[in-house]
Amino acid sequence: MTIVVTGATGHLGRLAIQSLLAKGVPAADIVGLGRQLDKIADLGVTTKHVDYEDVDALTEAFTGADKVLFISGSEPGKRVPQHTNIINAAKSAGVGLIAYTSIPRADTTDMKLAEEHLVTEQLLAASGVPHVLLRNGWYIENYSIEQALAHGLVGAAGDGQISAATRADFAEAAASAIVGEGHEGKVYELGGEPFTLTELAAEISRQSGQTVTYTDLSPEKYVEVLVGVGVPQPFAEILADSDRAAAGGALFVPRTDLEALLGRPVTPLATAIQTALA
């Protein structure tokens, strides 16, 4: 069984390949696609330099593949055409299953970040290619412990609970969905142990011995702060909108589906913080 992992040179892609290897998938049966192949050269899998804009190269890369772990593109605003290419190429190549990393409640949330994910889900449905949706919640790693220690936490999420999990947990869940049976047609809402940003600040304080506070701003003010530290305006607006949605509960996700795919409890927030501080 040949498994292709797109976006394999990113953080999640590398971890997903490591999880596939840990589950006993032979390295010879894994193909990693990306642009910075040196980042996964040490894993022993087949690698191919593929750009999401190159349909012919994608089709060639997918030819002979049984399953594809489709990790969403990382460039907001470009995802729909890129994802269209990937889906069309996978269909042309006769791929048997696509597992796509989406976003929580992509079909009902008003979060701007979900718009391209929803279109992708709709494209998958229209393609007729068997697929499973992995609606990943926030990564704990989205929050820089180093920055929190230096400047505190700043956002616009209010008291909204955020069911973040480690990238490693999401990667392992994706690997389980790819190698396991019975996942076709399923939609998994994936989240970890919930916390507010105030609680995150408190946990970092507890473990570091340094007082870390969370400053809650309006979405508009948060955009100003992000732009002020160099974040491009369009991306700053997406981040602030995501916090706005989080304040209303959009990023609270029961951990049931993630733990079912993992076959174990999610990694606790305290453990993730401890690892980051080590």
Side-chain angles (χ1 to χ4, degrees):
M1 177 178 69
T2 301
I3 298 172
V4 174
V5 179
T6 74
T9 58
H11 294 299
L12 184 65
R14 178 182 172 85
L15 288 167
I17 290 175
Q18 290 176 315
S19 290
L20 289 169
L21 293 170
K23 291 181 181 297
V25 179
D29 292 346
I30 302 172
V31 180
L33 309 186
R35 289 178 287 191
Q36 296 177 290
L37 299 180
D38 57 302
K39 291 186 175 182
I40 55 171
D42 61 310
L43 298 182
V45 303
T46 300
T47 61
K48 296 184 179 182
H49 187 280
V50 175
D51 194 288
Y52 283 3
E53 275 80 19
D54 192 338
V55 179
D56 291 339
L58 285 166
T59 303
E60 181 181 353
F62 291 150
T63 298
D66 298 286
K67 299 179 180 182
V68 171
L69 174 53
F70 174 10
I71 295 176
S72 63
S74 59
E75 301 172 275
K78 296 184 178 181
R79 288 191 179 107
V80 172
Q82 290 177 345
H83 292 183
T84 299
N85 291 341
I86 290 171
I87 293 167
N88 288 343
K91 182 175 181 177
S92 296
V95 167
L97 179 72
I98 296 175
Y100 173 65
T101 60
S102 189
I103 200 168
R105 305 180 189 90
D107 53 342
T108 59
T109 185
D110 67 348
M111 193 186 309
K112 290 179 182 177
L113 191 59
E115 293 173 358
E116 292 172 301
H117 289 289
L118 176 58
V119 173
T120 303
E121 291 187 4
Q122 293 169 338
L123 290 169
L124 279 167
S127 74
V129 179
H131 59 277
V132 53
L133 300 179
L134 305 170
R135 289 178 170 169
N136 288 353
W138 250 220
Y139 304 140
I140 290 177
E141 292 88 349
N142 285 351
Y143 302 102
S144 168
I145 306 302
E146 181 179 354
Q147 289 295 315
L149 290 170
H151 307 291
L153 290 172
V154 179
D159 293 324
Q161 290 195 313
I162 299 170
S163 300
T166 63
R167 278 197 185 94
D169 276 5
F170 286 126
E172 185 179 336
S176 295
I178 280 287
V179 302
E181 298 296 330
H183 299 296
E184 178 183 329
K186 297 290 182 64
V187 178
Y188 293 109
E189 301 283 355
L190 303 176
E193 176 187 335
F195 55 84
T196 67
L197 293 187
T198 298
E199 290 169 340
L200 174 60
E203 183 60 28
I204 297 172
S205 299
R206 184 184 71 81
Q207 293 202 36
S208 68
Q210 177 180 326
T211 300
V212 175
T213 60
Y214 168 58
T215 302
D216 193 58
L217 306 172
S218 69
E220 295 77 18
K221 185 62 178 177
Y222 188 32
V223 169
E224 291 180 18
V225 170
L226 291 170
V227 171
V229 297
V231 178
Q233 179 87 21
F235 191 49
E237 291 176 355
I238 287 175
L239 292 175
D241 179 74
S242 297
D243 264 25
R244 172 205 59 79
L251 292 180
F252 173 77
V253 184
R255 68 187 82 176
T256 313
D257 283 357
L258 182 53
E259 292 187 336
L261 286 174
L262 292 173
R264 60 169 174 80
V266 297
T267 301
L269 174 64
T271 301
I273 298 302
Q274 182 180 34
T275 300
L277 288 170

